[in-house]
Amino acid sequence: GEYGAGHLAGARHIPLGDLKARMSELERYRERLVLVHCASGSRSQVAAKTLKDAGFKEVFNLQGGMGAWTQAGMPTEK
């Protein structure tokens, strides 16, 4: 539901519980900047650590999540 309500442009929806099983979908981003987000920033913090532990080079968590992003008037897509 969160993803459908609005997300960052170009975001790929991978729930935290599915991340390890779907890690191969992200292989082409291993050397690129990856920004992880969720509604509040807490689950995405865990996801960011999982990606870093798997060897992804530049992983960042959107502090405050989509709540903070939309509150700041930043753009989203549905």
Side-chain angles (χ1 to χ4, degrees):
E2 291 173 16
Y3 185 81
H7 52 272
L8 301 180
R12 179 180 295 254
H13 182 225
I14 301 179
L16 178 58
D18 298 340
L19 181 58
K20 288 184 181 178
R22 295 178 59 187
M23 192 82 67
S24 63
E25 295 176 36
L26 302 173
E27 276 303 314
R28 66 181 174 176
Y29 304 106
R30 185 173 287 279
E31 302 294 327
R32 296 176 60 189
L33 186 144
V34 176
L35 177 63
V36 185
H37 69 83
C38 68
S40 67
S42 59
R43 281 172 286 130
S44 55
Q45 183 175 2
V46 175
K49 182 177 182 335
T50 300
L51 291 171
K52 287 178 187 177
D53 290 349
F56 284 75
K57 302 297 181 203
E58 292 188 82
V59 181
F60 298 92
N61 178 37
L62 180 61
Q63 294 296 319
M66 288 304 294
W69 183 265
T70 55
Q71 198 169 49
M74 301 303 289
T76 63
E77 67 178 33
K78 293 183 179 185

Short mmCIF file of all heavy atoms in Angstrom, two decimals:
data_model
loop_
_atom_site.label_atom_id
_atom_site.label_comp_id
_atom_site.label_asym_id
_atom_site.label_seq_id
_atom_site.Cartn_x
_atom_site.Cartn_y
_atom_site.Cartn_z
N GLY A 1 0.79 -1.20 0.00
CA GLY A 1 0.00 0.00 0.00
C GLY A 1 0.84 1.27 0.00
O GLY A 1 0.48 2.25 -0.63
N GLU A 2 1.95 1.24 0.71
CA GLU A 2 2.80 2.44 0.78
C GLU A 2 3.32 2.82 -0.60
O GLU A 2 3.31 3.99 -0.96
CB GLU A 2 3.99 2.20 1.71
CG GLU A 2 3.63 2.07 3.16
CD GLU A 2 4.81 1.67 4.01
OE1 GLU A 2 5.97 1.78 3.56
OE2 GLU A 2 4.57 1.24 5.15
N TYR A 3 3.78 1.84 -1.35
CA TYR A 3 4.34 2.11 -2.67
C TYR A 3 3.27 2.72 -3.58
O TYR A 3 3.53 3.69 -4.28
CB TYR A 3 4.88 0.81 -3.28
CG TYR A 3 5.58 0.99 -4.60
CD1 TYR A 3 6.89 1.43 -4.65
CD2 TYR A 3 4.93 0.71 -5.79
CE1 TYR A 3 7.55 1.59 -5.87
CE2 TYR A 3 5.57 0.87 -7.01
CZ TYR A 3 6.88 1.30 -7.04
OH TYR A 3 7.52 1.46 -8.24
N GLY A 4 2.07 2.19 -3.52
CA GLY A 4 0.97 2.70 -4.33
C GLY A 4 0.54 4.10 -3.96
O GLY A 4 0.04 4.85 -4.78
N ALA A 5 0.75 4.47 -2.70
CA ALA A 5 0.37 5.81 -2.23
C ALA A 5 1.31 6.89 -2.75
O ALA A 5 0.96 8.05 -2.80
CB ALA A 5 0.33 5.83 -0.71
N GLY A 6 2.51 6.49 -3.12
CA GLY A 6 3.49 7.44 -3.64
C GLY A 6 4.90 7.02 -3.30
O GLY A 6 5.15 6.51 -2.20
N HIS A 7 5.80 7.17 -4.25
CA HIS A 7 7.19 6.77 -4.06
C HIS A 7 8.09 7.69 -4.90
O HIS A 7 7.60 8.47 -5.71
CB HIS A 7 7.39 5.31 -4.45
CG HIS A 7 6.87 4.99 -5.82
ND1 HIS A 7 5.56 4.59 -6.04
CD2 HIS A 7 7.44 5.04 -7.04
CE1 HIS A 7 5.37 4.41 -7.34
NE2 HIS A 7 6.50 4.68 -7.96
N LEU A 8 9.37 7.56 -4.71
CA LEU A 8 10.33 8.34 -5.48
C LEU A 8 10.29 7.90 -6.94
O LEU A 8 10.08 6.72 -7.23
CB LEU A 8 11.74 8.17 -4.93
CG LEU A 8 11.96 8.58 -3.48
CD1 LEU A 8 13.40 8.35 -3.09
CD2 LEU A 8 11.57 10.02 -3.26
N ALA A 9 10.51 8.82 -7.84
CA ALA A 9 10.50 8.51 -9.27
C ALA A 9 11.53 7.42 -9.58
O ALA A 9 12.67 7.49 -9.11
CB ALA A 9 10.79 9.76 -10.08
N GLY A 10 11.11 6.42 -10.31
CA GLY A 10 12.00 5.34 -10.72
C GLY A 10 12.26 4.29 -9.66
O GLY A 10 13.08 3.40 -9.86
N ALA A 11 11.56 4.39 -8.53
CA ALA A 11 11.78 3.43 -7.44
C ALA A 11 11.34 2.03 -7.83
O ALA A 11 10.38 1.85 -8.57
CB ALA A 11 11.02 3.87 -6.19
N ARG A 12 12.05 1.06 -7.33
CA ARG A 12 11.71 -0.36 -7.51
C ARG A 12 11.15 -0.86 -6.20
O ARG A 12 11.75 -0.65 -5.14
CB ARG A 12 12.96 -1.14 -7.89
CG ARG A 12 12.72 -2.62 -8.08
CD ARG A 12 14.00 -3.32 -8.43
NE ARG A 12 14.48 -2.86 -9.72
CZ ARG A 12 14.40 -3.59 -10.84
NH1 ARG A 12 13.88 -4.79 -10.80
NH2 ARG A 12 14.86 -3.12 -11.97
N HIS A 13 10.00 -1.51 -6.24
CA HIS A 13 9.34 -1.97 -5.02
C HIS A 13 9.82 -3.37 -4.63
O HIS A 13 9.49 -4.35 -5.30
CB HIS A 13 7.82 -1.97 -5.23
CG HIS A 13 7.06 -2.38 -4.02
ND1 HIS A 13 6.02 -3.28 -4.07
CD2 HIS A 13 7.17 -2.03 -2.72
CE1 HIS A 13 5.53 -3.45 -2.87
NE2 HIS A 13 6.22 -2.71 -2.03
N ILE A 14 10.59 -3.44 -3.57
CA ILE A 14 11.03 -4.72 -3.02
C ILE A 14 10.81 -4.66 -1.51
O ILE A 14 11.56 -3.99 -0.80
CB ILE A 14 12.52 -5.02 -3.33
CG1 ILE A 14 12.74 -5.05 -4.84
CG2 ILE A 14 12.93 -6.35 -2.70
CD1 ILE A 14 14.18 -5.31 -5.27
N PRO A 15 9.77 -5.33 -1.02
CA PRO A 15 9.51 -5.33 0.43
C PRO A 15 10.71 -5.89 1.20
O PRO A 15 11.42 -6.78 0.70
CB PRO A 15 8.29 -6.23 0.58
CG PRO A 15 7.63 -6.19 -0.76
CD PRO A 15 8.75 -6.08 -1.75
N LEU A 16 10.93 -5.40 2.40
CA LEU A 16 12.06 -5.82 3.22
C LEU A 16 12.10 -7.34 3.38
O LEU A 16 13.16 -7.94 3.27
CB LEU A 16 12.01 -5.13 4.59
CG LEU A 16 13.11 -5.51 5.57
CD1 LEU A 16 14.49 -5.21 4.99
CD2 LEU A 16 12.91 -4.78 6.89
N GLY A 17 10.95 -7.95 3.60
CA GLY A 17 10.90 -9.41 3.78
C GLY A 17 11.31 -10.19 2.55
O GLY A 17 11.65 -11.37 2.66
N ASP A 18 11.30 -9.56 1.38
CA ASP A 18 11.67 -10.22 0.13
C ASP A 18 13.07 -9.85 -0.34
O ASP A 18 13.55 -10.37 -1.34
CB ASP A 18 10.69 -9.84 -0.98
CG ASP A 18 9.27 -10.27 -0.70
OD1 ASP A 18 9.06 -11.17 0.14
OD2 ASP A 18 8.35 -9.70 -1.33
N LEU A 19 13.72 -8.92 0.35
CA LEU A 19 14.97 -8.36 -0.15
C LEU A 19 16.05 -9.40 -0.41
O LEU A 19 16.64 -9.44 -1.50
CB LEU A 19 15.49 -7.28 0.80
CG LEU A 19 16.78 -6.58 0.38
CD1 LEU A 19 16.63 -5.92 -0.99
CD2 LEU A 19 17.20 -5.56 1.42
N LYS A 20 16.33 -10.26 0.53
CA LYS A 20 17.39 -11.25 0.34
C LYS A 20 17.09 -12.17 -0.83
O LYS A 20 17.99 -12.47 -1.62
CB LYS A 20 17.63 -12.04 1.62
CG LYS A 20 18.32 -11.21 2.69
CD LYS A 20 18.64 -12.02 3.92
CE LYS A 20 19.31 -11.14 4.96
NZ LYS A 20 19.61 -11.86 6.19
N ALA A 21 15.87 -12.60 -0.97
CA ALA A 21 15.49 -13.50 -2.06
C ALA A 21 15.53 -12.81 -3.42
O ALA A 21 15.73 -13.47 -4.44
CB ALA A 21 14.10 -14.08 -1.80
N ARG A 22 15.36 -11.50 -3.44
CA ARG A 22 15.31 -10.75 -4.71
C ARG A 22 16.57 -9.92 -4.96
O ARG A 22 16.60 -9.09 -5.86
CB ARG A 22 14.08 -9.86 -4.71
CG ARG A 22 12.77 -10.68 -4.70
CD ARG A 22 11.55 -9.81 -4.66
NE ARG A 22 11.48 -8.92 -5.80
CZ ARG A 22 10.57 -7.95 -5.93
NH1 ARG A 22 9.66 -7.77 -4.99
NH2 ARG A 22 10.58 -7.16 -6.99
N MET A 23 17.62 -10.16 -4.18
CA MET A 23 18.86 -9.40 -4.29
C MET A 23 19.43 -9.42 -5.71
O MET A 23 19.99 -8.43 -6.18
CB MET A 23 19.88 -9.94 -3.31
CG MET A 23 21.09 -9.09 -3.12
SD MET A 23 20.86 -7.72 -1.98
CE MET A 23 20.65 -8.54 -0.44
N SER A 24 19.25 -10.51 -6.43
CA SER A 24 19.80 -10.62 -7.79
C SER A 24 19.21 -9.56 -8.73
O SER A 24 19.87 -9.15 -9.69
CB SER A 24 19.56 -12.01 -8.36
OG SER A 24 18.17 -12.26 -8.48
N GLU A 25 18.01 -9.08 -8.44
CA GLU A 25 17.40 -8.04 -9.27
C GLU A 25 18.15 -6.71 -9.16
O GLU A 25 17.99 -5.83 -10.01
CB GLU A 25 15.94 -7.80 -8.84
CG GLU A 25 15.03 -8.98 -9.07
CD GLU A 25 13.64 -8.72 -8.53
OE1 GLU A 25 13.15 -7.57 -8.63
OE2 GLU A 25 13.03 -9.68 -8.01
N LEU A 26 18.95 -6.57 -8.13
CA LEU A 26 19.65 -5.31 -7.88
C LEU A 26 21.14 -5.37 -8.24
O LEU A 26 21.84 -4.39 -8.10
CB LEU A 26 19.50 -4.92 -6.41
CG LEU A 26 18.06 -4.77 -5.92
CD1 LEU A 26 18.04 -4.55 -4.42
CD2 LEU A 26 17.40 -3.61 -6.64
N GLU A 27 21.61 -6.50 -8.73
CA GLU A 27 23.03 -6.68 -9.01
C GLU A 27 23.61 -5.58 -9.88
O GLU A 27 24.73 -5.13 -9.65
CB GLU A 27 23.29 -8.04 -9.67
CG GLU A 27 23.43 -9.16 -8.69
CD GLU A 27 24.53 -8.95 -7.66
OE1 GLU A 27 25.65 -8.54 -8.02
OE2 GLU A 27 24.26 -9.18 -6.47
N ARG A 28 22.89 -5.12 -10.87
CA ARG A 28 23.44 -4.10 -11.77
C ARG A 28 23.65 -2.75 -11.07
O ARG A 28 24.29 -1.86 -11.61
CB ARG A 28 22.58 -3.94 -13.01
CG ARG A 28 21.20 -3.39 -12.73
CD ARG A 28 20.42 -3.29 -13.99
NE ARG A 28 19.06 -2.90 -13.72
CZ ARG A 28 18.18 -2.66 -14.64
NH1 ARG A 28 18.49 -2.79 -15.90
NH2 ARG A 28 16.96 -2.32 -14.31
N TYR A 29 23.12 -2.61 -9.86
CA TYR A 29 23.27 -1.37 -9.09
C TYR A 29 24.35 -1.49 -8.01
O TYR A 29 24.55 -0.56 -7.24
CB TYR A 29 21.95 -0.98 -8.43
CG TYR A 29 20.82 -0.84 -9.42
CD1 TYR A 29 19.82 -1.79 -9.51
CD2 TYR A 29 20.78 0.24 -10.29
CE1 TYR A 29 18.79 -1.65 -10.42
CE2 TYR A 29 19.76 0.38 -11.22
CZ TYR A 29 18.77 -0.57 -11.26
OH TYR A 29 17.76 -0.44 -12.19
N ARG A 30 25.06 -2.58 -7.97
CA ARG A 30 26.04 -2.85 -6.91
C ARG A 30 27.09 -1.74 -6.78
O ARG A 30 27.52 -1.41 -5.69
CB ARG A 30 26.73 -4.19 -7.17
CG ARG A 30 27.67 -4.61 -6.07
CD ARG A 30 28.19 -6.01 -6.28
NE ARG A 30 27.17 -7.00 -6.01
CZ ARG A 30 26.85 -7.43 -4.79
NH1 ARG A 30 27.47 -6.94 -3.74
NH2 ARG A 30 25.91 -8.34 -4.62
N GLU A 31 27.50 -1.15 -7.88
CA GLU A 31 28.54 -0.11 -7.87
C GLU A 31 27.95 1.30 -7.97
O GLU A 31 28.70 2.26 -8.10
CB GLU A 31 29.52 -0.34 -9.03
CG GLU A 31 30.20 -1.69 -9.01
CD GLU A 31 31.14 -1.87 -7.82
OE1 GLU A 31 31.75 -0.87 -7.39
OE2 GLU A 31 31.26 -3.01 -7.33
N ARG A 32 26.64 1.42 -7.97
CA ARG A 32 25.99 2.72 -8.12
C ARG A 32 25.36 3.17 -6.81
O ARG A 32 25.18 2.38 -5.89
CB ARG A 32 24.92 2.62 -9.21
CG ARG A 32 25.52 2.31 -10.57
CD ARG A 32 24.50 2.11 -11.63
NE ARG A 32 23.66 3.31 -11.80
CZ ARG A 32 22.58 3.32 -12.56
NH1 ARG A 32 22.21 2.24 -13.21
NH2 ARG A 32 21.87 4.41 -12.68
N LEU A 33 24.97 4.42 -6.75
CA LEU A 33 24.28 4.95 -5.59
C LEU A 33 22.88 4.34 -5.51
O LEU A 33 22.16 4.32 -6.50
CB LEU A 33 24.17 6.47 -5.69
CG LEU A 33 23.61 7.16 -4.47
CD1 LEU A 33 24.30 8.49 -4.28
CD2 LEU A 33 22.13 7.34 -4.57
N VAL A 34 22.53 3.83 -4.35
CA VAL A 34 21.21 3.25 -4.10
C VAL A 34 20.59 3.99 -2.93
O VAL A 34 21.19 4.08 -1.85
CB VAL A 34 21.30 1.74 -3.79
CG1 VAL A 34 19.93 1.17 -3.44
CG2 VAL A 34 21.92 0.98 -4.95
N LEU A 35 19.40 4.54 -3.13
CA LEU A 35 18.66 5.21 -2.07
C LEU A 35 17.49 4.32 -1.69
O LEU A 35 16.68 3.96 -2.55
CB LEU A 35 18.16 6.58 -2.54
CG LEU A 35 17.31 7.36 -1.54
CD1 LEU A 35 18.12 7.70 -0.31
CD2 LEU A 35 16.77 8.62 -2.19
N VAL A 36 17.40 3.96 -0.44
CA VAL A 36 16.36 3.05 0.06
C VAL A 36 15.37 3.87 0.86
O VAL A 36 15.75 4.75 1.64
CB VAL A 36 17.00 1.96 0.94
CG1 VAL A 36 15.96 0.93 1.35
CG2 VAL A 36 18.15 1.28 0.21
N HIS A 37 14.06 3.60 0.65
CA HIS A 37 13.07 4.34 1.43
C HIS A 37 11.86 3.48 1.77
O HIS A 37 11.57 2.49 1.11
CB HIS A 37 12.64 5.62 0.71
CG HIS A 37 11.84 5.41 -0.54
ND1 HIS A 37 10.48 5.19 -0.52
CD2 HIS A 37 12.20 5.41 -1.84
CE1 HIS A 37 10.04 5.06 -1.77
NE2 HIS A 37 11.07 5.19 -2.58
N CYS A 38 11.19 3.87 2.85
CA CYS A 38 9.92 3.29 3.28
C CYS A 38 9.09 4.45 3.84
O CYS A 38 9.48 5.61 3.69
CB CYS A 38 10.13 2.18 4.31
SG CYS A 38 10.73 2.73 5.91
N ALA A 39 8.01 4.16 4.50
CA ALA A 39 7.14 5.23 5.01
C ALA A 39 7.84 6.10 6.06
O ALA A 39 7.75 7.32 6.01
CB ALA A 39 5.86 4.65 5.60
N SER A 40 8.56 5.47 6.99
CA SER A 40 9.15 6.24 8.08
C SER A 40 10.68 6.26 8.10
O SER A 40 11.27 7.06 8.80
CB SER A 40 8.68 5.66 9.41
OG SER A 40 9.22 4.36 9.59
N GLY A 41 11.30 5.36 7.37
CA GLY A 41 12.76 5.28 7.36
C GLY A 41 13.32 4.18 8.23
O GLY A 41 14.52 3.92 8.21
N SER A 42 12.48 3.49 8.99
CA SER A 42 12.99 2.45 9.88
C SER A 42 13.24 1.12 9.16
O SER A 42 14.31 0.54 9.32
CB SER A 42 12.05 2.25 11.08
OG SER A 42 10.77 1.89 10.65
N ARG A 43 12.29 0.65 8.38
CA ARG A 43 12.51 -0.59 7.62
C ARG A 43 13.58 -0.40 6.56
O ARG A 43 14.39 -1.29 6.31
CB ARG A 43 11.21 -1.09 6.97
CG ARG A 43 10.31 -1.81 7.95
CD ARG A 43 8.95 -2.11 7.36
NE ARG A 43 8.23 -0.83 7.31
CZ ARG A 43 7.61 -0.36 6.24
NH1 ARG A 43 7.56 -1.05 5.13
NH2 ARG A 43 7.01 0.80 6.27
N SER A 44 13.59 0.77 5.97
CA SER A 44 14.60 1.03 4.94
C SER A 44 16.00 1.09 5.54
O SER A 44 16.99 0.78 4.86
CB SER A 44 14.28 2.30 4.15
OG SER A 44 14.13 3.41 5.00
N GLN A 45 16.12 1.45 6.82
CA GLN A 45 17.42 1.43 7.48
C GLN A 45 17.94 0.00 7.54
O GLN A 45 19.12 -0.25 7.30
CB GLN A 45 17.30 2.03 8.88
CG GLN A 45 18.62 2.12 9.61
CD GLN A 45 18.48 2.83 10.94
OE1 GLN A 45 17.40 3.23 11.35
NE2 GLN A 45 19.59 2.99 11.63
N VAL A 46 17.07 -0.94 7.84
CA VAL A 46 17.44 -2.36 7.87
C VAL A 46 17.81 -2.82 6.46
O VAL A 46 18.80 -3.53 6.26
CB VAL A 46 16.30 -3.22 8.46
CG1 VAL A 46 16.63 -4.70 8.38
CG2 VAL A 46 16.01 -2.81 9.90
N ALA A 47 17.03 -2.41 5.47
CA ALA A 47 17.31 -2.78 4.08
C ALA A 47 18.65 -2.23 3.63
O ALA A 47 19.43 -2.92 2.95
CB ALA A 47 16.19 -2.28 3.17
N ALA A 48 18.95 -1.00 4.00
CA ALA A 48 20.23 -0.39 3.63
C ALA A 48 21.39 -1.17 4.22
O ALA A 48 22.39 -1.43 3.54
CB ALA A 48 20.27 1.07 4.09
N LYS A 49 21.28 -1.58 5.46
CA LYS A 49 22.33 -2.38 6.09
C LYS A 49 22.48 -3.71 5.39
O LYS A 49 23.60 -4.19 5.16
CB LYS A 49 22.06 -2.59 7.57
CG LYS A 49 23.16 -3.38 8.26
CD LYS A 49 22.95 -3.52 9.73
CE LYS A 49 24.05 -4.26 10.46
NZ LYS A 49 24.86 -5.19 9.75
N THR A 50 21.38 -4.33 5.01
CA THR A 50 21.42 -5.61 4.30
C THR A 50 22.17 -5.46 2.98
O THR A 50 23.01 -6.30 2.64
CB THR A 50 19.99 -6.12 4.04
OG1 THR A 50 19.33 -6.31 5.30
CG2 THR A 50 20.00 -7.43 3.28
N LEU A 51 21.89 -4.39 2.26
CA LEU A 51 22.57 -4.15 0.98
C LEU A 51 24.06 -3.87 1.20
O LEU A 51 24.91 -4.40 0.46
CB LEU A 51 21.91 -3.00 0.23
CG LEU A 51 20.51 -3.28 -0.30
CD1 LEU A 51 19.87 -2.00 -0.82
CD2 LEU A 51 20.55 -4.35 -1.39
N LYS A 52 24.39 -3.06 2.18
CA LYS A 52 25.80 -2.78 2.47
C LYS A 52 26.54 -4.06 2.84
O LYS A 52 27.65 -4.30 2.38
CB LYS A 52 25.92 -1.76 3.60
CG LYS A 52 25.56 -0.36 3.19
CD LYS A 52 25.66 0.59 4.39
CE LYS A 52 25.15 1.96 4.04
NZ LYS A 52 25.17 2.86 5.21
N ASP A 53 25.92 -4.88 3.68
CA ASP A 53 26.53 -6.15 4.09
C ASP A 53 26.73 -7.08 2.90
O ASP A 53 27.63 -7.93 2.92
CB ASP A 53 25.69 -6.84 5.16
CG ASP A 53 25.73 -6.12 6.51
OD1 ASP A 53 26.57 -5.20 6.68
OD2 ASP A 53 24.90 -6.47 7.37
N ALA A 54 25.90 -6.93 1.87
CA ALA A 54 26.00 -7.76 0.66
C ALA A 54 27.01 -7.20 -0.34
O ALA A 54 27.20 -7.75 -1.41
CB ALA A 54 24.63 -7.89 0.00
N GLY A 55 27.65 -6.07 0.02
CA GLY A 55 28.70 -5.53 -0.83
C GLY A 55 28.30 -4.39 -1.74
O GLY A 55 29.10 -3.96 -2.58
N PHE A 56 27.10 -3.85 -1.57
CA PHE A 56 26.70 -2.69 -2.36
C PHE A 56 27.51 -1.49 -1.85
O PHE A 56 27.65 -1.29 -0.66
CB PHE A 56 25.20 -2.45 -2.26
CG PHE A 56 24.40 -3.41 -3.10
CD1 PHE A 56 24.22 -4.71 -2.69
CD2 PHE A 56 23.84 -3.00 -4.29
CE1 PHE A 56 23.51 -5.61 -3.46
CE2 PHE A 56 23.13 -3.89 -5.07
CZ PHE A 56 22.95 -5.20 -4.66
N LYS A 57 28.06 -0.71 -2.78
CA LYS A 57 29.05 0.31 -2.43
C LYS A 57 28.47 1.59 -1.82
O LYS A 57 28.97 2.08 -0.84
CB LYS A 57 29.88 0.68 -3.67
CG LYS A 57 30.58 -0.50 -4.29
CD LYS A 57 31.59 -1.09 -3.33
CE LYS A 57 32.30 -2.25 -3.97
NZ LYS A 57 32.85 -3.18 -3.05
N GLU A 58 27.44 2.16 -2.43
CA GLU A 58 26.90 3.45 -1.98
C GLU A 58 25.41 3.30 -1.70
O GLU A 58 24.59 3.47 -2.58
CB GLU A 58 27.10 4.52 -3.05
CG GLU A 58 28.54 4.91 -3.28
CD GLU A 58 28.62 6.10 -4.20
OE1 GLU A 58 28.45 7.25 -3.72
OE2 GLU A 58 28.83 5.87 -5.40
N VAL A 59 25.08 2.99 -0.47
CA VAL A 59 23.69 2.78 -0.07
C VAL A 59 23.32 3.83 0.97
O VAL A 59 24.04 4.02 1.95
CB VAL A 59 23.47 1.37 0.51
CG1 VAL A 59 22.02 1.17 0.89
CG2 VAL A 59 23.94 0.30 -0.47
N PHE A 60 22.20 4.48 0.74
CA PHE A 60 21.74 5.52 1.66
C PHE A 60 20.28 5.29 2.01
O PHE A 60 19.50 4.86 1.17
CB PHE A 60 21.90 6.91 1.03
CG PHE A 60 23.32 7.25 0.71
CD1 PHE A 60 23.85 6.96 -0.53
CD2 PHE A 60 24.13 7.82 1.68
CE1 PHE A 60 25.17 7.25 -0.83
CE2 PHE A 60 25.45 8.12 1.39
CZ PHE A 60 25.97 7.83 0.14
N ASN A 61 19.94 5.58 3.25
CA ASN A 61 18.56 5.48 3.72
C ASN A 61 17.96 6.89 3.75
O ASN A 61 18.58 7.82 4.24
CB ASN A 61 18.55 4.88 5.13
CG ASN A 61 17.17 4.80 5.71
OD1 ASN A 61 16.20 4.52 5.01
ND2 ASN A 61 17.05 5.04 7.00
N LEU A 62 16.76 7.03 3.21
CA LEU A 62 16.06 8.31 3.24
C LEU A 62 15.58 8.57 4.67
O LEU A 62 14.60 7.96 5.12
CB LEU A 62 14.89 8.31 2.25
CG LEU A 62 14.06 9.58 2.18
CD1 LEU A 62 14.92 10.76 1.73
CD2 LEU A 62 12.90 9.39 1.21
N GLN A 63 16.29 9.40 5.39
CA GLN A 63 15.96 9.70 6.78
C GLN A 63 14.56 10.30 6.87
O GLN A 63 14.23 11.23 6.15
CB GLN A 63 16.96 10.68 7.38
CG GLN A 63 18.36 10.12 7.51
CD GLN A 63 18.44 8.96 8.48
OE1 GLN A 63 17.83 8.97 9.54
NE2 GLN A 63 19.21 7.95 8.11
N GLY A 64 13.74 9.73 7.74
CA GLY A 64 12.36 10.22 7.89
C GLY A 64 11.41 9.61 6.88
O GLY A 64 10.21 9.82 6.96
N GLY A 65 11.94 8.87 5.93
CA GLY A 65 11.12 8.16 4.95
C GLY A 65 10.27 9.05 4.07
O GLY A 65 10.50 10.26 3.95
N MET A 66 9.28 8.43 3.46
CA MET A 66 8.40 9.15 2.55
C MET A 66 7.57 10.19 3.28
O MET A 66 7.18 11.20 2.69
CB MET A 66 7.48 8.18 1.80
CG MET A 66 8.21 7.35 0.75
SD MET A 66 9.09 8.35 -0.47
CE MET A 66 7.74 9.15 -1.31
N GLY A 67 7.32 9.97 4.57
CA GLY A 67 6.59 10.97 5.35
C GLY A 67 7.33 12.30 5.34
O GLY A 67 6.75 13.36 5.07
N ALA A 68 8.62 12.27 5.63
CA ALA A 68 9.43 13.49 5.64
C ALA A 68 9.58 14.06 4.23
O ALA A 68 9.54 15.28 4.04
CB ALA A 68 10.81 13.20 6.24
N TRP A 69 9.71 13.17 3.25
CA TRP A 69 9.88 13.60 1.85
C TRP A 69 8.65 14.38 1.38
O TRP A 69 8.77 15.48 0.84
CB TRP A 69 10.10 12.37 0.98
CG TRP A 69 10.36 12.62 -0.46
CD1 TRP A 69 9.44 12.62 -1.48
CD2 TRP A 69 11.62 12.92 -1.08
NE1 TRP A 69 10.05 12.88 -2.67
CE2 TRP A 69 11.38 13.07 -2.46
CE3 TRP A 69 12.91 13.06 -0.60
CZ2 TRP A 69 12.40 13.34 -3.36
CZ3 TRP A 69 13.93 13.32 -1.50
CH2 TRP A 69 13.67 13.47 -2.86
N THR A 70 7.47 13.84 1.59
CA THR A 70 6.25 14.51 1.14
C THR A 70 5.96 15.76 1.97
O THR A 70 5.48 16.76 1.44
CB THR A 70 5.04 13.57 1.14
OG1 THR A 70 4.87 13.00 2.43
CG2 THR A 70 5.20 12.45 0.14
N GLN A 71 6.28 15.70 3.25
CA GLN A 71 6.07 16.87 4.11
C GLN A 71 6.94 18.05 3.66
O GLN A 71 6.55 19.19 3.80
CB GLN A 71 6.39 16.50 5.56
CG GLN A 71 5.82 17.45 6.56
CD GLN A 71 5.94 16.87 7.97
OE1 GLN A 71 7.01 16.40 8.36
NE2 GLN A 71 4.84 16.89 8.71
N ALA A 72 8.08 17.73 3.07
CA ALA A 72 8.97 18.78 2.56
C ALA A 72 8.55 19.27 1.18
O ALA A 72 9.19 20.12 0.59
CB ALA A 72 10.41 18.25 2.51
N GLY A 73 7.45 18.69 0.65
CA GLY A 73 6.94 19.11 -0.64
C GLY A 73 7.69 18.57 -1.83
O GLY A 73 7.59 19.09 -2.94
N MET A 74 8.43 17.49 -1.61
CA MET A 74 9.21 16.89 -2.68
C MET A 74 8.31 16.02 -3.57
O MET A 74 7.29 15.49 -3.10
CB MET A 74 10.35 16.06 -2.10
CG MET A 74 11.30 16.88 -1.21
SD MET A 74 12.03 18.29 -2.05
CE MET A 74 13.15 17.45 -3.14
N PRO A 75 8.68 15.84 -4.84
CA PRO A 75 7.81 15.12 -5.77
C PRO A 75 7.78 13.62 -5.55
O PRO A 75 8.76 13.03 -5.11
CB PRO A 75 8.43 15.45 -7.13
CG PRO A 75 9.87 15.69 -6.83
CD PRO A 75 9.89 16.34 -5.47
N THR A 76 6.63 13.04 -5.84
CA THR A 76 6.46 11.57 -5.81
C THR A 76 5.75 11.15 -7.08
O THR A 76 5.22 11.99 -7.82
CB THR A 76 5.63 11.11 -4.60
OG1 THR A 76 4.32 11.66 -4.70
CG2 THR A 76 6.26 11.53 -3.29
N GLU A 77 5.74 9.86 -7.33
CA GLU A 77 4.94 9.32 -8.43
C GLU A 77 4.15 8.14 -7.92
O GLU A 77 4.48 7.56 -6.90
CB GLU A 77 5.81 8.95 -9.63
CG GLU A 77 6.75 7.81 -9.42
CD GLU A 77 7.54 7.48 -10.68
OE1 GLU A 77 7.86 8.38 -11.47
OE2 GLU A 77 7.85 6.30 -10.85
N LYS A 78 3.09 7.83 -8.63
CA LYS A 78 2.23 6.69 -8.25
C LYS A 78 2.20 5.67 -9.36
O LYS A 78 2.46 5.94 -10.47
CB LYS A 78 0.82 7.16 -7.94
CG LYS A 78 0.76 8.02 -6.71
CD LYS A 78 -0.64 8.42 -6.39
CE LYS A 78 -0.65 9.27 -5.12
NZ LYS A 78 -1.96 9.58 -4.67
#
